[in-house]
Amino acid sequence: MRMIVSDSDSSSATAHRSRTHSPSLLSSPPPSSPSPSPSSLLQPLDPPPDRAPTMASVAESLSELDIAGGWAASAPLGLRNNLRALSPDQVELAKMLLETGQSHVFEHWADPGVDDDRKKAFFEQVARLDTSYPGGLASYIKTARELLADSKAGKNPFDGFKPSVPNGEVLTFAEDNFINFEETGVKEARKAAFVLVAGGLGERLGYNGIKVALPAETTSGRCFLQYYIESILALQEASCRLAEDGSGTQIPFVIMTSDDTHARTLRLLESNSYFGMQPSQVKLLKQEKVACLGDNDARLALDPQDKYKIQTKPHGHGDVHALLYSSGLLNLWHDAGVKWVLFFQDTNGLLFKGIPASLGVSAIRQFHVNSLAVPRKAKEAIGGITKLTHADGRTMVINVEYNQLDPLLRATGHPDGDVNDETGFSPFPGNINQLILELGPYIEELKKTGGAIKEFVNPKYKDASKTAFKSSTRLECMMQDYPKTLPPTARVGFTVMDTWLAYAPVKNNPEDAAKVPKGNPYHSATSGEMAIYRANSLILRKAGAQVGDPVRQVFNGQEVEVWPRIVWKPKWGLTFSDIRRKVSSSCSVSQKSSLLLNGNDIFIEDLSLDGALVINAGEEAEVTVKGKVENEGWILESIDYKDASLPEEIRIRGFRINKAEHLEKTYEGPGKFCLEA
């Protein structure tokens, strides 16, 4: 894949291009001739006198390509007229396009001297599309034809497979085995690397910024990216503290971006000093889009606004595997002692609450692939982690989409399809697109595939004849489909967490969320924020504190539970053991309260809170909080999401916080301090 690695010591991104397919598709100029630069890809063949030797070599190369021969004679007239104005590389690209049935892209070409800049831009784009896809553009077109033929024929991708429930670990928060897995996971964290898939904008949410810049919750105002980085740093510090050799380790953090998000992600990091992370820890890998397809013959679709440009669309987050492979980072990590790679997506404000225990499961169960999951109701609109066994003996453990799982079960001897078992949930756990991979086997697999992930195509046909598309389509790939190519010996499992603890994605705008049938998750900014408060309240309850029951309120047409607004920095409560050690059973927090803990060593003893309390503690400050705090507090006020006078990040929630009254104390340290209200 083509990538941009932002080695974050610098404010500028450095481009690196890595070919992952056979170089025979693009002949290089002879050694005596320098490779043409992008600015000189289209040149006349009569050079200035001082460049005669170089251009003679180019002419010789063109002669060797036999542009007057058979393949060129059958080319569209527009291309034939321009061949002698092309560089050897461009001629090879043109030849490849003709050989793959793409002659239509040249049919409208003007004579030499007209639109030459647009022709040059066309070949630059084709070269990018060619180098950014494992196997090249010819391979992309070949795969597209096969998948489009299967789609038209209605071929079932699971034909011959029987589903069963794979092996995995089902955890219940705060139970002994959960705590044990958490402890193991924290120890393993110093041998982990984290990869965030963040190629999308927040337009679907009604937010025009990048999604990782959106506040996860508005009590503290921390954006998703800040929360993720602070969580990784908390794991890093805790893990290094437990290291037997006492050495410090920096956990690598990769962010996969896109054309839409790359510059803005870099700007967000730089303007916030990387939220406390060392810039050298962070790498940005930028994915490219792929060519759109106009028909069942996989003819490339041209941009309706520019006939010298191929229409492109995102390929999907499955590109992350090829980007990591081609970047060389995986081998660097392996040499540095990294053992685990954790993949996660951009707007789940709860995910790091389940990471330590899940990583512990991977280590103890020795999973090559561990899919994080939550309990799912039968037929719920979330994919199920499933073991598939083919009649020929092949097996794989993958996510099967909910609309495929039920008919697959019915077709293979389960007449009732996807049904709940005695637990009240489907035995097939719900996939939440978070993966933990063991690095060694991961590298070995990518050596075989070049990082390519099994793709699919989803054309929207005009009618039942399936002969024409409503609009262009493209091949897509998903990060979680990585296990499809693994051998039967691969140890692939799952870890199920309580939904309230680990899964609250933010992906629906207010209007779409309000249309969700009652009882189903809204997956909006409103529900995502409320889920964080609920999780933190329930965790404090598990630790012994008395926390007020929620009330139900409606914001942006969504009825949600409003718990006390309790928020802490990841370093304060990384694991349940940490939290239980810092909270006494004599504490109480009322429903109307807001509690914000900004620090590590803050101990809550005999606190009765009915209002808003903010505690800020420096790195070397130890603070004990006691007594009774009563004030008017921070009040949630409903707002109209159509009110354009308010910021988008507030409007999409349907409420804002009126900070009427609060008690705030700051302790810089070092030393021990006590707040007795």
Side-chain angles (χ1 to χ4, degrees):
M1 304 298 298
R2 176 179 183 267
M3 66 176 179
I4 290 182
V5 179
S6 287
D7 194 350
S8 304
D9 300 314
S10 166
S11 62
S12 63
T14 304
H16 298 273
R17 192 169 297 170
S18 174
R19 298 190 65 85
T20 55
H21 61 281
S22 169
S24 64
L25 283 177
L26 257 180
S27 297
S28 300
S32 59
S33 171
S35 299
S37 67
S39 61
S40 62
L41 282 174
L42 279 180
Q43 301 177 11
L45 292 185
D46 296 323
D50 61 335
R51 297 188 61 193
T54 297
M55 296 311 295
S57 299
V58 172
E60 181 182 341
S61 298
L62 288 172
S63 176
E64 292 173 358
L65 291 169
D66 189 24
I67 62 173
W71 73 268
S74 61
L77 180 61
L79 175 60
R80 289 206 310 272
N81 290 342
N82 282 273
L83 278 176
R84 291 200 172 276
L86 305 183
S87 71
D89 278 358
Q90 292 171 332
V91 171
E92 278 291 351
L93 285 173
K95 186 177 179 181
M96 178 270 293
L97 289 171
L98 295 183
E99 290 173 345
T100 54
Q102 308 299 328
S103 61
H104 65 286
V105 301
F106 299 109
E107 288 174 353
H108 62 283
W109 273 38
D111 290 336
V114 180
D115 293 336
D116 282 357
D117 286 344
R118 296 170 72 189
K119 296 168 190 171
K120 178 178 70 174
F122 170 82
F123 277 113
E124 288 173 349
Q125 182 192 27
V126 172
R128 284 196 305 273
L129 293 170
D130 190 51
T131 56
S132 66
Y133 185 82
L137 191 54
S139 177
Y140 178 82
I141 293 166
K142 179 177 181 292
T143 301
R145 285 205 179 100
E146 294 168 355
L147 292 176
L148 285 166
D150 289 346
S151 175
K152 184 177 180 181
K155 185 176 179 181
N156 181 359
F158 299 120
D159 190 33
F161 284 99
K162 286 188 176 182
S164 60
V165 181
N167 293 319
E169 197 75 41
V170 180
L171 303 182
T172 300
F173 180 78
E175 290 188 351
D176 288 344
N177 69 331
F178 181 93
I179 294 169
N180 291 336
F181 281 125
E182 269 199 328
E183 291 174 355
T184 300
V186 171
K187 291 177 182 176
E188 289 290 315
R190 64 192 292 266
K191 296 182 285 187
F194 286 82
V195 180
L196 168 62
V197 177
L201 296 172
E203 292 168 329
R204 180 178 167 189
L205 296 168
Y207 175 65
N208 286 314
I210 55 175
K211 288 191 284 184
V212 293
L214 192 67
E217 38 76 22
T218 49
T219 294
S220 73
R222 288 188 190 93
C223 69
F224 281 103
L225 187 56
Q226 179 178 1
Y227 165 65
Y228 297 149
I229 287 178
E230 289 182 350
S231 297
I232 293 170
L233 291 175
L235 275 168
Q236 176 179 294
E237 182 179 305
S239 189
C240 290
R241 201 162 50 235
L242 296 174
E244 294 179 2
D245 59 6
S247 64
T249 301
Q250 289 188 348
I251 295 176
F253 181 37
V254 167
I255 306 174
M256 185 178 83
T257 61
S258 66
D259 285 333
D260 294 329
T261 66
H262 185 85
R264 285 192 266 189
T265 302
L266 192 59
R267 190 159 55 245
L268 178 64
L269 288 165
E270 290 176 338
S271 62
N272 290 280
S273 301
Y274 288 79
F275 299 107
M277 184 171 272
Q278 292 297 315
S280 58
Q281 286 178 255
V282 185
K283 306 290 183 188
L284 305 188
L285 304 185
K286 185 168 78 73
Q287 69 176 141
E288 291 286 350
K289 295 179 180 179
V290 292
C292 289
L293 310 162
D295 56 29
N296 283 322
D297 292 326
R299 283 163 35 108
L300 300 179
L302 294 174
D303 190 318
Q305 307 303 319
D306 186 351
K307 296 302 182 182
Y308 288 94
K309 184 177 180 181
I310 295 170
Q311 190 178 20
T312 59
K313 290 182 181 178
H315 190 216
H317 47 57
D319 277 351
V320 69
H321 302 295
L323 283 167
L324 286 171
Y325 178 70
S326 63
S327 72
L329 287 173
L330 299 179
N331 288 326
L332 291 175
W333 292 347
H334 188 270
D335 293 344
V338 172
K339 186 177 181 180
W340 309 103
V341 185
L342 293 89
F343 297 84
F344 62 101
Q345 292 187 274
D346 44 21
T347 53
N348 179 5
L350 298 179
L351 70 93
F352 273 89
K353 295 183 186 301
I355 287 292
S358 301
L359 184 53
V361 169
S362 285
I364 291 174
R365 295 289 298 271
Q366 297 183 314
F367 283 152
H368 293 158
V369 179
N370 184 5
S371 294
L372 277 64
V374 294
R376 64 179 282 279
K377 292 287 188 180
K379 303 178 182 63
E380 183 181 347
I382 178 174
I385 306 297
T386 309
K387 180 177 182 180
L388 296 175
T389 303
H390 197 273
D392 61 14
R394 285 179 291 146
T395 63
M396 56 182 169
V397 178
I398 61 164
N399 170 66
V400 176
E401 293 301 331
Y402 72 95
N403 58 347
Q404 297 172 315
L405 180 57
D406 185 70
L408 179 60
L409 285 164
R410 293 178 186 275
T412 54
H414 302 82
D416 295 328
D418 183 24
V419 294
N420 296 327
D421 60 17
E422 64 277 3
T423 66
F425 293 95
S426 168
F428 299 94
N431 170 58
I432 61 173
N433 279 359
Q434 292 170 218
L435 298 174
I436 303 177
L437 306 184
E438 186 176 347
L439 180 56
Y442 181 47
I443 291 174
E444 291 306 308
E445 180 63 21
L446 294 191
K447 284 180 182 177
K448 303 173 192 172
T449 65
I453 298 301
K454 290 286 187 181
E455 297 163 296
F456 63 95
V457 68
N458 187 26
K460 301 296 188 290
Y461 298 107
K462 284 186 176 179
D463 53 46
S465 69
K466 297 185 177 181
T467 55
F469 302 160
K470 290 181 180 178
S471 61
S472 62
T473 189
R474 85 285 196 187
L475 300 190
E476 299 178 72
C477 61
M478 296 189 294
M479 177 178 71
Q480 64 270 26
D481 280 347
Y482 161 74
K484 281 187 174 181
T485 59
L486 295 179
T489 54
R491 294 187 293 274
V492 183
F494 61 78
T495 302
V496 174
M497 297 278 180
D498 299 292
T499 303
W500 65 262
L501 179 73
Y503 189 55
V506 175
K507 54 188 180 183
N508 289 329
N509 62 50
E511 290 183 334
D512 289 343
K515 296 173 186 175
V516 169
K518 190 171 183 178
N520 291 323
Y522 296 116
H523 290 169
S524 66
T526 310
S527 63
E529 178 161 352
M530 293 301 162
I532 292 172
Y533 303 144
R534 176 181 61 180
N536 290 343
S537 295
L538 291 174
I539 290 170
L540 288 194
R541 276 188 179 180
K542 293 283 187 180
Q546 308 301 308
V547 179
D549 289 331
V551 298
R552 301 194 74 84
Q553 290 183 249
V554 177
F555 302 111
N556 279 349
Q558 305 159 57
E559 186 179 54
V560 293
E561 287 185 347
V562 181
W563 290 78
R565 274 70 68 204
I566 300 171
V567 180
W568 55 75
K569 293 193 78 168
K571 280 188 179 181
W572 182 81
L574 181 62
T575 67
F576 180 61
S577 296
D578 291 337
I579 296 167
R580 190 167 54 180
R581 182 172 56 87
K582 295 174 181 176
V583 177
S584 75
S585 58
S586 55
C587 294
S588 65
V589 180
S590 71
Q591 186 279 329
K592 82 165 195 176
S593 294
S594 299
L595 176 62
L596 183 53
L597 302 175
N598 294 318
N600 185 13
D601 293 322
I602 302 173
F603 296 87
I604 312 299
E605 296 181 2
D606 304 317
L607 171 69
S608 174
L609 176 61
D610 186 36
L613 174 63
V614 180
I615 304 295
N616 305 307
E619 288 290 325
E620 299 180 74
E622 182 180 307
V623 181
T624 300
V625 182
K626 300 179 179 180
K628 190 172 187 178
V629 176
E630 289 183 332
N631 54 51
E632 190 175 340
W634 293 357
I635 303 162
L636 297 186
E637 296 179 343
S638 295
I639 60 170
D640 183 356
Y641 77 91
K642 296 180 181 179
D643 184 352
S645 68
L646 297 170
E648 288 177 324
E649 60 267 27
I650 298 299
R651 287 158 51 193
I652 62 175
R653 297 167 199 275
F655 63 85
R656 63 183 168 191
I657 297 177
N658 176 7
K659 297 184 178 182
E661 186 181 10
H662 66 273
L663 174 64
E664 180 170 6
K665 293 290 184 179
T666 299
Y667 305 89
E668 294 297 342
K672 293 187 177 182
F673 306 89
C674 184
L675 168 62
E676 294 195 56

